[in-house]
Amino acid sequence: SGNDDDLTIPRAAINKMIKETLPNVRVANDARELVVNCCTEFIHLISSEANEICNKSEKKTISPEHVIQALESLGFGSYISEVKEVLQECKTVALKRRKASSRLENLGIPEEELLRQQQELFAKVSE
């Protein structure tokens, strides 16, 4: 749609982060709105820079390395070690999901049958 208003982080997510980060601090609504706008602008800035780096390396997909290079080139190098930790956590979670998914596939039971069995078990529990 080209409307930048559609490209913001959900306020509920920002409110949750603020509450977790500053549990005993009250934050005015206009300050929360400002945080949302700053987060959105930061994401646009990093994404644009990562896209330029991606294009210069003649790739079609922005990789984590492009984002890390963007952080460095924009002066946010102090965030890189934490970003790498989070990236590793994400890779670990994704690997666990893939393993769980392949285990399910290796059972040889169709998903519909597993769902039917699950519903049966739920029905027994609620009796």
Side-chain angles (χ1 to χ4, degrees), residues 27-45:
V27 180
N29 284 337
D30 55 348
R32 289 176 190 272
E33 189 66 28
L34 184 58
V35 171
V36 168
N37 290 336
C38 288
C39 291
T40 302
E41 188 58 36
F42 181 76
I43 291 169
H44 284 220
L45 180 68

Side-chain angles (χ1 to χ4, degrees), residues 53-119:
I53 291 168
C54 177
N55 288 337
K56 284 178 186 169
S57 60
E58 298 180 2
K59 302 285 183 185
K60 294 187 185 281
T61 303
I62 296 172
S63 72
E65 291 72 26
H66 297 136
V67 175
I68 290 168
Q69 288 174 21
L71 288 168
E72 183 68 48
S73 72
L74 292 169
F76 296 106
S78 61
Y79 292 104
I80 290 175
S81 64
E82 192 173 342
V83 165
K84 286 181 177 179
E85 285 176 27
V86 171
L87 176 60
Q88 192 54 52
E89 288 173 26
C90 290
K91 287 180 177 180
T92 302
V93 168
L95 183 61
K96 285 180 183 174
R97 282 192 185 136
R98 280 196 299 274
K99 284 183 179 177
S101 175
S102 66
R103 277 197 303 270
L104 184 63
E105 291 167 9
N106 291 337
L107 285 176
I109 303 171
E111 188 175 353
E112 296 79 19
E113 175 60 19
L114 289 171
L115 288 170
R116 189 193 65 71
Q117 290 176 12
Q118 182 183 42
Q119 291 302 320

Side-chain angles (χ1 to χ4, degrees), residues 7 12 17 19 21 25 33 35 37 56 64 69 100 114 120 127:
L7 301 174
M17 283 189 260
K19 192 171 214 151
T21 306
V25 177
E33 189 66 28
V35 171
N37 290 336
K56 284 178 186 169
Q69 288 174 21
L114 289 171
E120 251 180 49
E127 289 176 357

Side-chain angles (χ1 to χ4, degrees), residues 3-23:
N3 186 354
D4 277 351
D5 292 339
D6 295 341
L7 301 174
T8 61
I9 298 171
R11 276 146 190 74
I14 295 296
N15 289 337
K16 183 178 180 197
M17 283 189 260
I18 290 171
K19 192 171 214 151
E20 288 174 1
T21 306
L22 306 167

